[in-house]
Amino acid sequence: MMRLIRFVLGKIILFFDALFRPRPLARPAAEQAKVDAQTNNLALYHFMACPFCVKVRRHMTRRNLNIELRDVKRDKKFDRELVEQGGSFQVPCLRIRGDDSSVRWLYESSDIIAYLDQRFP
Ligand SMILES: N[C@@H](CCC(=O)N[C@@H](CS)C(=O)NCC(=O)O)C(=O)O
């Protein structure tokens, strides 16, 4: 029963997400290219119908941040990486690779949004 409720709620969330898609920020091409180069080091572990993931994905769209999406429900490899390297199965989670190749796993949708706002003001 809970699974069914979650499934239906997920579909409703995705419907409204698609219906009210945010308008992406328009940057000059050179500036967007710079931002794209920086977001290359980021990957968002998520799944489609998760409301907290929708919140982060909508923020990314609004800020025009092209961050690789890794769906943990569609690809077991991402599921394993998240648990084994991130430390727990919770989405959304932002994988941040530093210039020195160090990796940080950032959980919590609000913290992810705050991080993106601070890095791409
Ligand atoms: N406070 C967290 C909540 C995240 C959360 O509850 N995510 C759910 C999916 S919507 C989750 O990962 N649950 C673990 C599971 O499904 O096992 C946030 O804002 O990111």
Side-chain angles (χ1 to χ4, degrees):
M1 190 61 188
M2 278 311 286
R3 279 176 75 114
L4 179 68
I5 293 173
R6 243 187 254 159
F7 176 80
V8 173
L9 276 181
K11 292 288 175 204
I12 292 172
I13 287 169
L14 288 178
F15 174 74
F16 281 103
D17 179 34
L19 198 62
F20 301 106
R21 177 90 348 132
R23 185 189 295 240
L25 172 76
R27 296 186 180 88
E31 204 181 307
Q32 184 62 46
K34 255 191 218 165
V35 170
D36 288 346
Q38 287 176 285
T39 51
N40 242 341
N41 291 348
L42 305 175
L44 186 77
Y45 288 69
H46 77 124
F47 61 81
M48 284 314 289
C50 152
F52 302 96
C53 304
V54 171
K55 175 177 140 190
V56 173
R57 291 199 308 265
R58 289 178 68 83
H59 195 73
M60 284 162 42
T61 303
R62 217 174 282 121
R63 307 293 305 155
N64 206 347
L65 300 173
N66 299 310
I67 296 173
E68 183 191 342
L69 295 174
R70 298 184 174 174
D71 191 320
V72 297
K73 290 229 164 148
R74 294 219 167 128
D75 194 330
K76 287 288 150 208
K77 182 181 84 178
F78 296 144
D79 179 330
R80 269 198 310 277
E81 278 174 11
L82 179 64
V83 175
E84 287 169 10
Q85 298 172 38
S88 76
F89 184 83
Q90 183 182 291
V91 289
C93 179
L94 187 67
R95 181 184 188 274
I96 306 165
R97 185 163 42 82
D99 292 336
D100 58 355
S101 292
S102 62
V103 172
R104 181 178 156 209
W105 297 81
L106 182 61
Y107 288 91
E108 291 298 325
S109 53
S110 302
D111 293 346
I112 295 170
I113 287 172
Y115 170 84
L116 294 175
D117 281 348
Q118 169 254 310
R119 204 163 153 203
F120 307 100

